[in-house]
Amino acid sequence: MLQQGISRASASLARSSLRSFSSAPVSSTTDVFWDKLSSSSANKVEPHVITSGQGAYLTINGKDYLNFCSSHYLGFALESRLKEAAKSAIDSYGLGTGYRTLAGTHALHVSLEKKIAEFKGTEGAVTFTSAYAANACAVQTIMGKEDIVVSDQLNHASIIDAVRVAGVQNKFAYKHSDMEDLEAKLKEARELQKTPKKNGEAPNILIITDGVFSMDGDLARLPEIVSLAKEYGALTMVDDAHGEGVLGKGGRGVVNH
């Protein structure tokens, strides 16, 4: 009897809740959303439309402005030789090579990566559609979740996001370009390294740094970083997005510099 009473009470409560929910205006929340959107649209700011290529100057509304907001500071976007090479590639292969992980590796990928490796003096190279994607893929490929990352506090957001996306659980951030603090963090990392991963292997330690710090323009203290990495058995990864083409022999970057 008690169980039947509880069941009837529950059913009655459910019907009452359903009627209450049904009586609420379904469109009320969406109306509020659209009202807010319309209000915001009334005060929207129109963008400044650029009508020139990405060079040292940008043309906006028929007037030239000095360009301080572009990644094209090496002048590649308007370089005549590169434009001709792009036109030739389009004539031969069409617009784009397809999504590489789906459409496959193209002859242009192989040729470009071979030339980059030769230029940088490395065993090989892999190209990505952006530096952001390169950092994300590099960290996930090199590091597992049980490994250890030691990162400069002023590293670019793409490095921070790359470590987060990789799911690395053991993370240290050392004070910007402070080698004493880096060494202190490496000592802590070595202690963590004594606890093996689930597969029985010791965790890897990876030091990550920008080569040229994009906001302040200062250089990473690479000779000291690499020396500490060797002393504590760590790997070193350098994001050289702002060093290549500027520093090093022929623009080979911060590591060469």
Side-chain angles (χ1 to χ4, degrees):
M1 292 292 291
L2 178 61
Q3 185 176 1
Q4 290 177 353
I6 293 173
S7 298
R8 292 194 190 98
S10 299
S12 177
L13 178 61
R15 285 194 294 271
S16 175
S17 299
L18 183 60
R19 283 197 298 272
S20 176
F21 178 79
S22 300
S23 63
V26 176
S27 62
S28 61
T29 54
T30 54
D31 287 342
V32 171
F33 170 79
W34 289 116
D35 287 344
K36 287 182 178 180
L37 187 61
S38 298
S39 177
S40 300
S41 298
N43 300 313
K44 67 180 180 180
V45 178
E46 294 292 339
H48 296 294
V49 179
I50 301 166
T51 56
S52 64
Q54 287 282 334
Y57 288 86
L58 300 176
T59 303
I60 302 172
N61 294 328
K63 185 177 179 181
D64 289 340
Y65 293 87
L66 194 58
N67 180 11
F68 285 107
C69 59
S70 171
S71 294
H72 292 287
Y73 39 70
L74 296 179
F76 287 166
L78 298 177
E79 167 59 46
S80 59
R81 291 171 298 174
L82 292 179
K83 289 195 291 185
E84 289 302 318
K87 292 175 186 176
S88 175
I90 290 171
D91 289 339
S92 298
Y93 303 107
L95 292 170
T97 56
Y99 188 28
R100 188 174 186 179
T101 54
L102 182 64
T105 295
H106 195 277
L108 290 175
H109 293 133
V110 176
S111 176
L112 174 61
E113 290 166 354
K114 181 180 179 182
K115 290 178 180 178
I116 290 174
E118 289 173 353
F119 178 72
K120 297 284 288 184
T122 60
E123 298 89 342
V126 180
T127 53
F128 294 88
T129 54
S130 70
Y132 213 104
N135 278 336
C137 291
V139 175
Q140 289 183 74
T141 301
I142 297 170
M143 305 300 283
K145 294 182 178 180
E146 298 175 87
D147 290 318
I148 306 165
V149 166
V150 184
S151 179
D152 189 291
Q153 283 185 345
L154 293 190
N155 275 341
H156 190 268
S158 62
I159 296 174
I160 297 168
D161 286 349
V163 175
R164 184 181 294 120
V165 169
V168 178
Q169 299 165 0
N170 305 305
K171 296 170 282 190
F172 297 93
Y174 62 94
K175 296 174 184 176
H176 177 52
S177 285
D178 186 326
M179 297 299 100
E180 288 186 8
D181 194 42
L182 171 57
E183 184 168 17
K185 296 298 189 292
L186 286 171
K187 288 178 179 178
E188 292 183 60
R190 282 297 293 270
E191 286 300 311
L192 271 180
Q193 198 180 36
K194 293 177 181 178
T195 302
K197 297 188 287 187
K198 291 178 182 178
N199 62 6
E201 296 177 358
N204 291 314
I205 302 173
L206 177 67
I207 303 171
I208 309 180
T209 182
D210 270 316
V212 178
F213 289 88
S214 57
M215 293 296 101
D216 296 333
D218 57 324
L219 305 186
R221 296 165 65 175
L222 273 186
E224 295 165 83
I225 292 172
V226 172
S227 177
L228 285 170
K230 290 179 178 178
E231 182 178 347
Y232 289 91
L235 303 168
T236 305
M237 172 178 160
V238 181
D239 177 345
D240 204 15
H242 300 282
E244 291 176 345
V246 180
L247 298 170
K249 183 179 179 181
R252 283 169 172 79
V254 170
V255 176
N256 180 274
H257 172 76

